[in-house]
């Protein structure tokens, strides 16, 4: 019996295959690949470009044109994050620099465990036009191209040199994209000649396929061990991470915390899992943490880490948890994360794991009454402290970043999605932004990539049309990646960008000076003819004119009253709205009884550096080793 086949090019087959892939979890189904971000060049315009033009619309795989290859991968990752990793985009770029431009964002996607499909064009597999324009030549490895750089930042990597290889590569790529433990950047390199080659494809290759996103349950032995630890705890603490949100386990987390009287501290990835005013939500923990969570962490005897990779900021460089007998339980879908800090490894989906742990603790009365009273007091004190930093003080000569955050939060409410990635803004937002919805806080803080912010705004706006999107970005990040304002305008998307201008890389300047050095090479200044350094007069950039030139509606408030008016008007408007807010470079939110390990020069002639080194060595003595 002959099998039905369809003769298509590799690129055409790829388009038809991607359009037929879906995800499913809890009875809800979504398209795995929602569309394709594409910047065409000679390496893909006649291959994938031709296929998308001929077949894309017909099979429901729309094409979007960004302005920068890095930005399109950021947008795809943000889309995946907002959809709880149930859907993402494919991204295609041309040979050479176009494809390599995707590397930074590919690393960000993998670091943050977010699925994105990368389709970089590659050299001619036939090797006759060799070296083709933009091809890297290697003296001893002729099968190497610049795309091999994607190997270290991808969770799956392959190069298609014959059409038939696509038959096995694509299903494996889809499996990795949809696996909650393995997901990240998936890279399929496509030589430009192979993209256009025809092949007789089995018709069943294009049949609709549903990839069930698994929810693994914990092993009974590990579950019993974890339950025993929690039953014996006098000062338990939960740290929630991004896995709680990807699993959509916020209701289970709330029920578990309430049932057993265990306070919940937040990481950057886990903020929003509980509303800010939930009685068991004690705010952020670690280097960017607040007083309540950091004090509770210091004396915690059992820490349940739910869906967090326990990164350096959460553990305050291994100084946050000072109880000599502290034990950890890692509830995580990824074994690599579940076993960190020598913890009991509870490998499971966050929702299923919390449900199982709650059942295993049946009859347990929870934490002592005195501890619950202490948690309530610390939470009230922290909430009052936050309110103080959020409240504008009009008598100031310059607006402060913290107070701008407070006014924006009041104007847009706790259900709008706030987006940020780098600088001092993530730390301030973690402390000060008040979320009322699990999708209200969108921070890229695994890679903390400057330039992520505006492309991410596109991704979120596309993932959930109608949701209010508020992008916070500093002037330094804006100067790195502002081009996607044009894309948002072209696509008719609605989002508000708060561009905070302190005329510097203010975050790293503040860190630099806290370590004893004077301000150096971080402020936006002209080079001084006398000193030869970049410490001359400030460079004045008209960000308002720039954003307006790209098609955005723009406001330039110069006082808190003007800012409140601008926020009201922007919220009522449509399209891309940019509010340029000048803020103080030095009026900063302090740290709250925490630390971050940034090494200080061991020898220096500068007194400030020597003093900072003494303080650094004192903190090093508080670092813990976990085995």
């Amino acid at each position: 019996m002959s099998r039905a086949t369809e003769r298509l090019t590799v690129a055409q087959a790829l388009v038809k295959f991607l359009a037929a892939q879906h995800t499913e979890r809890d009875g809800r189904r979504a398209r795995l690949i929602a569309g394709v971000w594409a910047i065409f060049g000679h390496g893909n315009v006649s291959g994938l470009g031709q296929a998308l033009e001929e077949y894309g619309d017909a099979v429901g795989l729309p094409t979007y044109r960004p302005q920068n290859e890095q930005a399109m991968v950021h947008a795809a990752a943000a889309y995946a994050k907002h959809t709880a990793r149930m859907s993402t985009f494919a991204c295609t770029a041309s040979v050479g620099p176009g494809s390599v431009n995707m590397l930074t964002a590919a690393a960000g996607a993998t670091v943050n465990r977010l699925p994105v499909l990368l389709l970089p064009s590659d050299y001619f597999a036939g090797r006759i036009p060799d070296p083709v324009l933009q091809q890297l030549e290697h003296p001893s490895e002729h099968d190497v191209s610049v795309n091999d750089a994607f190997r270290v930042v991808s969770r799956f990597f392959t190069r298609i040199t014959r059409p038939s290889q696509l038959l096995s590569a694509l299903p494996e790529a889809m499996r990795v994209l949809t696996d909650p433990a393995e997901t990240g950047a998936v890279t399929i390199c496509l030589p430009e000649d192979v993209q256009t080659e025809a092949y007789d494809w089995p018709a069943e290759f294009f049949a609709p396929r549903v990839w069930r996103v698994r929810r693994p349950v914990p092993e009974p032995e590990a579950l019993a061990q974890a339950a025993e630890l929690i039953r014996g705890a006098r000062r338990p603490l939960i740290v929630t991470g991004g896995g709680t949100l990807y699993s959509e386990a916020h209701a289970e987390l709330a029920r578990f915390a309430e049932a057993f009287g265990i306070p919940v501290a937040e990481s950057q990835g886990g903020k929003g899992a509980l509303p800010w005013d939930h009685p068991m939500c004690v705010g952020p923990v670690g280097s960017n943490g607040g007083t309540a969570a950091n004090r509770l962490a210091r004396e915690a005897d059992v820490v349940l880490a739910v869906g967090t990779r326990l990164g350096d900021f959460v553990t305050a460089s291994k100084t946050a948890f000072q109880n000599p007998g502290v034990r950890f339980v890692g509830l995580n879908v990824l074994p690599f994360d579940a076993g960190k800090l020598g913890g009991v490894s509870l490998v499971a989906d966050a929702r299923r794991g919390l449900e199982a742990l709650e059942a295993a603790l049946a009859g347990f009365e929870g934490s002592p009454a005195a501890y619950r009273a202490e948690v309530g007091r610390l939470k009230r004190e922290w909430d009052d402290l936050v309110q103080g930093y959020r409240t504008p003080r009009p008598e100031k000569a310059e607006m402060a970043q913290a107070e701008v955050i407070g006014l924006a939060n009041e104007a847009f409410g706790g259900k709008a999605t706030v987006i940020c990635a780098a600088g001092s803004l993530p730390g301030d937002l973690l402390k000060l932004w008040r979320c009322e919805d699990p999708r209200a806080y969108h921070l890229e803080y695994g890679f903390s990539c400057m330039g992520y912010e505006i492309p991410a705004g596109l991704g979120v706006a596309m993932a959930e049309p109608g949701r209010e999107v508020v992008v916070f970005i500093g002037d330094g990040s804006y100067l790195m990646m502002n081009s996607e304002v044009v894309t948002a305008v072209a696509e008719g998307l609605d989002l508000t960008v708060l561009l905070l201008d302190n005329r510097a890389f203010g975050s790293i300047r503040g860190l630099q000076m806290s370590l004893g050095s004077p301000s150096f090479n971080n402020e936006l200044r002209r080079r001084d003819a006398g000193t030869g350094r970049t410490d001359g007069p400030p460079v004045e950039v008209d960000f308002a004119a720039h954003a307006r030139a790209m098609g955005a509606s723009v406001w330039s408030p110069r006082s808190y009253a003007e800012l409140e008016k601008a926020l009201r008007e922007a919220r009522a408007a449509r399209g891309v709205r940019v509010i340029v807010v000048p803020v103080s470079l030095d009026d900063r939110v302090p740290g709250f009884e925490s630390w971050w390990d940034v090494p200080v020069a061991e020898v220096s002639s500068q007194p400030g550096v020597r003093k900072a080194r003494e303080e650094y060595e004192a903190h090093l003595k508080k670092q813990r080793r976990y085995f």
Side-chain angles (χ1 to χ4, degrees), residues 5 57 96 155-156 166 211 238 254 277 283-284 311 331 341 359 377 472 476 483 553 588 623:
T5 60
D57 292 338
R155 295 292 291 169
F156 175 87
L166 207 63
W211 299 84
I238 296 170
D277 56 355
L331 170 52
L341 303 189
R377 175 180 58 80
F472 270 89
S483 58
S553 301
R588 302 165 61 86
Q623 282 187 316

Side-chain angles (χ1 to χ4, degrees), residues 17 35 121 125 187 307 360 383 390 453 484 531 534 536 558 610:
F17 178 90
S121 301
T187 302
D383 288 346
R390 286 165 50 103
E453 300 90 342
E484 302 316 306
T531 66
T534 52
R558 291 296 180 266
R610 292 200 299 270

Side-chain angles (χ1 to χ4, degrees), residues 495-511:
L495 62 138
T496 300
V497 178
L498 276 107
L499 199 174
L500 274 57
D501 179 12
N502 60 17
R503 300 161 298 284
F505 292 155
S507 173
I508 206 67
R509 173 186 178 271
L511 178 62

